[in-house]
Amino acid sequence: MTFKPAKWPRKLRSQEWFGGMSKDAIYHRGWMKNQGFPADLFDGRPVIGILNTFSELNPCNAHLNDLAQRVKHGIYEAGGFPVEVPVFSVSESGFRPTAMMFRNLAAMAVEETIRGQQMDGCVLLVGCDKTTPSLLMGAASVDLPSIVVTGGPMLNGYYKGERVGSGTHLWKFSEAVKAGEMTAEEFVEAEASMSRSPGTCNTMGTASTMASMAEALGMALSGNAAIPAVDSRRRMMAQLTGRRIVQMVKDDLKPSDVLTREAFENAIRTNGAIGGSTNAVIHLLALAGRVGLDLTLDDWDRLGRDVPTIVNLMPSGKYLMEEFFYAGGLPVVLKRLGEAGLLHKDALTVSGETMWEQVKDVTNHNPDVILPADKALTQSGGVVVLRGNLAPNGAVLKPSAATPDLMVHRGRAVVFEDIDDYKARIDDDALDIDETCVMVMKNCGPKGYPGMAEVGNMGLPPKILKKGITDMVRISDARMSGTAFGTVVLHTAPEAAAGGPLAVVRTGDMIELDVPNRRLHLDISDEELAARMAAWTPPAPKPQGGYAQLFHDHVMGPDTGADFDFLVGCRGNAVGRESH
Ligand code: FES
């Protein structure tokens, strides 16, 4: 840790708007005063943007206005001037064609929202899956002092006395209905049991994973990730975050001071320990790109190999975020990583303390939720990166959510050309498929879907589910919901729509998955593969115009984070010319 706080007082960038007696300064102050802000708020104190992703069409973030008020309290208490700024809110559960298509758009909007306006620091008020990475990416590209506070997970769901987890049980119940084990009426009743309070998904899905990543990166206060949305301590966390950002501005503690290689390595190992979502791979690669770090898929495989999954949460385990919080939450996991020599203890955090200073004295209150290492869900919990002639640029698999017996498997490919083809044929009992086959779906990557939807965990054919079989090897260039499970190979790169080898797999080809040796192989000759690739043509016309075309033309592959090529890097926060 080499960070040295800046001297205070000094002139802040907000004074480029609010300072002095020029016509422009009076214009900037005067218009703000129509909201009743007293004159002394413009005197050079830190102006803090509370970037609020509230939206009633983003139910996971619909309670954030309340938290924004607590952040404001904290900012005022610490002598800052809070301004609440709504930003583009990407809802996982509603956005079409898929939320991932809009992560980069949100990041771009956030970046310009920060840079173009009179802020000295930012509180990133986030929750649902894409809101956390998009705001982190935008803030990292501006590099003003920034801190994350998340909305927190929903309370536990219960149905017929059993815990039901967001997403995880949606997939389970949906397959139970197909298998004839659950009625449609029971499904509707269970649906209401799953979401019984405000907040984000209560499993270790992508939202909880990304909240954990923000904390493990050092970008949120310690303990933030697991506090339930409706717990009073969530409001306290918001208020303390408001207090802290003011001091961060005075110290000039920026994302680039926190988001170091060591921070990313801590986050990657944390993802293995919590059994986190494969979506974290894409988001952290993209975030690293924003701060100019050369993070790769191979870093994920290398760093995750020795990390046991010790957090016993769905979808890999049995508990939910509420119990993770009661057990002590992420600080306990970080302490355990530190004790195992798997944590960069000196990594700086937004609190101004090192990671180890924050977590070294915490206690595990429930060893059935945060397990001892010898009882880990899997000893090698990190995301596996597979390569081979089917995925020259890599593909990922989450071992803690997979079936051990399928980790080495050779099977006959049953190919779906795209998601529509899959939906049209999967329920047909005449489909020539059995449980030894490998389900392959093409054209669901960034360019193909478009947007790289969470459809990689293709539901199994009903005729196989009725035999009581719940997992098969599945391969695609799609993503998978962090709440989902199965022996599912994802993010196959290059994607089919960009001409990757996945595009030329045919039904009847043999495919070999060998997780211990990190291999994904299409068993045809090199000559045959080359001939098929030479004959390949792109599947659909390129979008003409609008955001869809921008996305298609500039999105990069999943192996580098699927950011836009022109958004990589930090562009800084220099103030431009006068606004009028
Ligand atoms: Fe928003 Fe899960 S859908 S957090």
Side-chain angles (χ1 to χ4, degrees):
M1 186 178 69
T2 55
F3 177 73
K4 285 203 172 40
K7 285 208 169 77
W8 182 259
R10 66 179 188 283
K11 185 179 172 189
L12 296 174
R13 81 191 283 273
S14 59
Q15 286 297 298
E16 299 284 340
W17 285 267
F18 294 143
M21 289 303 295
S22 69
K23 169 179 65 70
D24 288 325
I26 288 171
Y27 167 63
H28 296 309
R29 293 195 299 262
W31 263 249
M32 286 291 283
K33 283 179 180 172
N34 78 349
Q35 299 174 78
F37 291 126
D40 59 357
L41 290 183
F42 303 92
D43 63 2
R45 67 188 70 196
V47 177
I48 309 296
I50 303 169
L51 304 190
N52 187 353
T53 51
F54 157 84
S55 163
E56 286 188 330
L57 280 178
N58 190 350
C60 318
N61 293 19
H63 62 299
L64 293 188
N65 285 346
D66 173 58
L67 287 182
Q69 297 313 308
R70 309 306 286 207
V71 174
K72 266 188 202 173
H73 277 302
I75 293 169
Y76 276 127
E77 283 165 356
F81 176 10
V83 284
E84 196 177 337
V85 182
V87 293
F88 188 10
S89 183
V90 182
S91 161
E92 198 64 33
S93 57
F95 248 108
R96 292 187 178 188
T98 174
M100 182 61 188
M101 185 162 162
F102 304 99
R103 182 202 65 180
N104 297 346
L105 181 62
M108 188 160 56
V110 164
E111 178 181 342
E112 303 306 333
T113 293
I114 299 171
R115 183 183 296 113
Q117 299 188 90
Q118 49 275 53
M119 297 179 208
D120 302 306
C122 307
V123 174
L124 313 179
L125 190 45
V126 293
C128 193
D129 300 16
K130 301 300 174 293
T131 56
T132 306
S134 61
L135 267 64
L136 273 169
M137 289 161 67
S141 280
V142 184
D143 206 27
L144 280 179
S146 299
I147 187 169
V148 168
V149 61
T150 52
M154 290 186 267
L155 295 175
N156 279 8
Y158 291 97
Y159 178 63
K160 294 188 175 174
E162 300 288 327
R163 285 179 195 82
V164 286
S166 322
T168 302
H169 275 81
L170 180 64
W171 323 129
K172 285 191 174 158
F173 290 153
S174 163
E175 304 225 324
V177 171
K178 278 192 194 174
E181 296 161 359
M182 187 179 202
T183 66
E185 291 72 29
E186 286 174 319
F187 197 7
V188 172
E189 200 185 324
E191 171 196 321
S193 314
M194 228 180 299
S195 308
R196 56 182 275 258
S197 83
T200 52
C201 289
N202 54 20
T203 44
M204 187 50 82
T206 304
S208 299
T209 298
M210 290 312 299
S212 300
M213 293 297 92
E215 189 173 329
L217 284 164
M219 288 298 295
L221 292 182
S222 190
N224 170 75
I227 308 170
V230 295
D231 193 295
S232 55
R233 286 160 285 188
R234 173 60 56 194
R235 297 171 120 205
M236 287 181 208
M237 177 58 72
Q239 192 156 338
L240 293 172
T241 300
R243 289 183 192 170
R244 179 61 199 155
I245 186 64
V246 176
Q247 189 59 45
M248 285 175 66
V249 169
K250 291 178 179 175
D251 292 346
D252 201 24
L253 174 54
K254 304 180 296 300
S256 57
D257 298 310
V258 176
L259 294 173
T260 59
R261 169 161 275 279
E262 288 71 27
F264 281 93
E265 293 192 352
N266 283 346
I268 290 171
R269 287 187 166 126
T270 299
N271 193 58
I274 64 176
S277 166
T278 46
N279 285 321
V281 178
I282 295 226
H283 299 321
L284 262 59
L285 289 173
L287 180 60
R290 296 301 184 102
V291 291
L293 267 171
D294 184 24
L295 196 74
T296 68
L297 271 182
D298 291 335
D299 289 319
W300 278 88
D301 193 85
R302 177 177 58 82
L303 294 162
R305 278 187 188 237
D306 304 328
V307 182
T309 299
I310 55 171
V311 176
N312 190 8
L313 256 61
M314 297 179 203
S316 303
K318 70 175 182 182
Y319 292 106
L320 294 166
M321 286 298 286
E322 195 181 332
E323 282 129 339
F324 186 40
F325 173 58
Y326 301 146
L330 199 72
V332 176
V333 177
L334 291 162
K335 181 183 180 185
R336 292 278 296 280
L337 288 170
E339 289 168 341
L342 296 172
L343 186 80
H344 295 290
K345 294 180 176 177
D346 287 342
L348 179 67
T349 74
V350 286
S351 72
E353 292 185 319
T354 66
M355 186 58 78
W356 190 244
E357 284 169 336
Q358 291 188 153
V359 303
K360 63 183 168 52
D361 296 323
V362 298
T363 304
N364 182 3
H365 300 297
N366 190 339
D368 197 39
V369 174
I370 305 175
L371 302 163
D374 60 353
K375 292 197 176 140
L377 298 180
T378 169
Q379 287 301 327
S380 182
V383 169
V384 161
V385 177
L386 304 157
R387 293 187 190 271
N389 66 352
L390 194 44
N393 292 356
V396 304
L397 177 141
K398 178 176 167 180
S400 64
T403 302
D405 288 349
L406 290 173
M407 295 295 216
V408 178
H409 184 82
R410 177 180 164 89
R412 174 172 61 88
V414 174
V415 175
F416 303 98
E417 291 302 318
D418 55 28
I419 186 69
D420 297 324
D421 184 31
Y422 164 79
K423 285 182 177 169
R425 294 196 289 133
I426 193 65
D427 292 339
D428 184 352
D429 280 346
L431 182 66
D432 182 15
I433 190 168
D434 63 41
E435 57 272 29
T436 67
C437 291
V438 174
M439 296 168 65
V440 176
M441 185 159 59
K442 305 174 182 176
N443 298 312
C444 290
K447 289 181 196 291
Y449 195 88
M452 203 178 180
E454 290 185 333
V455 293
N457 57 316
M458 294 165 259
L460 271 47
K463 66 178 180 181
I464 291 178
L465 289 169
K466 282 175 188 154
K467 291 195 227 173
I469 290 160
T470 55
D471 197 10
M472 289 171 63
V473 174
R474 288 158 270 180
I475 300 173
S476 74
D477 46 12
R479 294 177 305 119
M480 172 171 87
S481 165
T483 62
F485 49 88
T487 310
V488 184
V489 177
L490 302 155
H491 311 182
T492 304
E495 63 169 305
L502 185 69
V504 299
V505 181
R506 294 177 184 164
T507 292
D509 288 344
M510 296 303 290
I511 292 179
E512 292 169 10
L513 170 67
D514 181 352
V515 173
N517 290 303
R518 304 299 197 253
R519 185 163 178 265
L520 185 64
H521 181 70
L522 177 63
D523 194 6
I524 60 174
S525 69
D526 292 347
E527 294 73 25
E528 170 69 10
L529 180 57
R532 289 189 195 179
M533 299 280 281
W536 174 81
T537 51
K542 183 178 134 170
Q544 296 298 312
Y547 176 69
Q549 184 176 344
L550 178 86
F551 185 90
H552 179 277
D553 291 351
H554 292 283
V555 72
M556 301 190 300
D559 50 311
T560 52
D563 202 357
F564 289 157
D565 49 13
F566 62 89
L567 289 179
V568 174
C570 176
R571 285 163 284 283
N573 57 64
V575 179
R577 60 185 65 181
E578 282 292 357
S579 60
H580 67 289

